[in-house]
Amino acid sequence: MNVPELSWPDVRRSFFDMEGAQSDSSTKCFIDHMGMSCFGPDYLSGQYKRAADLLVKAKQDGADPYHPDGLFMPVGYLYRHALELKLKGLLERIIDCDLMDKEESIEKLLNRHDIVKLWKAIKPILINQWPNADRKPLNNAEALLCEFHKIDKSGQSLRYSKVKNGGDVRDKFPKIVRLEMLQEAFDEMYSLLDGCLMHLDSILEYMNDMRNEYR
């Protein structure tokens, strides 16, 4: 029987070793290039989603030989955090477009982790942008958000094994989850929020063009 060779921490090693040529590793991260000019909540949201998508794909492709049970919390956390960042980026863009004042209450909201309260601040603005549109997509998005909020109100329950009072976090989790269906539902949510963000970007671009024209 072959006993695997143990590898102990080397005092000379760093967790963040960046030595070597640029082409020597497919996993080397150049942090100063990360996000380039678009670094912010929306960029980071996309990266957390990307990481979750990669985990689900690895499981589907058979690259991971272990049972998927243990992936629910990491995948769920990555998607939830991606959603929180996406909503915060959307709220910041709404403020940039002068569609909402950045009051103290909004500032507090941006510093917290309540995705339902974030959504409730955003939803009326979206309705005002498309007053005659079908409300079903927004209502369905809200239902999905509330479902996520129910199992993790603070962004902590998907990270730890126990809640603050000592209870098991799994008590509020669904009994069975198919990761690919979680991904599909999240993709639909993300597409809606992306579309809203693109609309706000066009408003902001128009506002900037007007400012430049009258300087």
Side-chain angles (χ1 to χ4, degrees):
M1 178 179 177
N2 294 327
V3 178
E5 183 180 347
L6 296 176
S7 178
W8 302 111
D10 186 334
V11 71
R12 296 167 298 175
R13 185 184 297 279
S14 166
F15 278 123
F16 310 110
D17 184 6
M18 292 295 289
E19 294 180 359
Q22 290 190 11
S23 60
D24 69 349
S25 169
S26 62
T27 65
K28 182 178 282 188
C29 304
F30 292 87
I31 307 304
D32 55 343
H33 294 171
M34 184 172 61
M36 300 298 284
S37 61
C38 64
F39 187 73
D42 193 62
Y43 168 80
L44 286 174
S45 170
Q47 300 312 305
Y48 277 99
K49 180 184 183 300
R50 174 187 170 202
D53 289 347
L54 286 170
L55 283 172
V56 176
K57 187 175 188 304
K59 189 69 239 173
Q60 287 179 304
D61 291 350
D64 174 30
Y66 300 101
H67 200 279
D69 291 354
L71 287 178
F72 168 67
M73 288 179 68
V75 169
Y77 171 74
L78 289 168
Y79 279 137
R80 190 203 179 281
H81 197 55
L83 185 55
E84 179 185 326
L85 287 169
K86 193 73 172 178
L87 291 171
K88 286 180 175 178
L90 193 57
L91 187 54
E92 288 182 355
R93 200 63 49 88
I94 286 170
I95 294 165
D96 291 340
C97 292
D98 294 331
L99 298 173
M100 177 191 291
D101 292 329
K102 193 174 182 180
E103 300 171 354
E104 185 179 348
S105 59
I106 298 298
E107 186 68 42
K108 287 180 180 177
L109 196 55
L110 288 167
N111 290 323
R112 291 175 182 168
H113 309 287
D114 192 318
I115 56 176
V116 169
K117 286 184 179 178
L118 283 165
W119 173 252
K120 287 186 174 177
I122 290 167
K123 186 180 178 183
I125 307 299
L126 299 182
I127 290 172
N128 286 340
Q129 290 299 300
W130 295 282
N132 299 317
D134 182 5
R135 300 281 177 86
K136 191 179 292 182
L138 294 183
N139 292 338
N140 290 344
E142 185 168 321
L144 287 170
L145 277 161
C146 288
E147 192 174 25
F148 233 139
H149 185 72
K150 195 180 296 182
I151 69 166
D152 191 347
K153 294 183 178 180
S154 64
Q156 305 299 309
S157 295
L158 286 163
R159 296 175 62 194
Y160 302 107
S161 60
K162 294 185 182 298
V163 291
K164 287 185 177 179
N165 65 9
D168 191 320
V169 295
R170 293 173 297 180
D171 292 344
K172 291 191 176 180
F173 291 170
K175 299 303 179 187
I176 298 175
V177 175
R178 287 178 54 185
L179 295 179
E180 74 273 15
M181 293 186 71
L182 169 60
Q183 181 185 29
E184 287 169 12
F186 192 83
D187 283 344
E188 292 169 0
M189 169 71 78
Y190 215 78
S191 294
L192 173 68
L193 298 179
D194 257 341
C196 296
L197 193 63
M198 288 171 64
H199 171 73
L200 294 170
D201 281 341
S202 66
I203 293 176
L204 190 59
E205 184 178 358
Y206 175 78
M207 290 172 63
N208 289 334
D209 287 344
M210 290 297 99
R211 289 190 188 107
N212 292 332
E213 185 174 337
Y214 291 102
R215 276 182 180 173

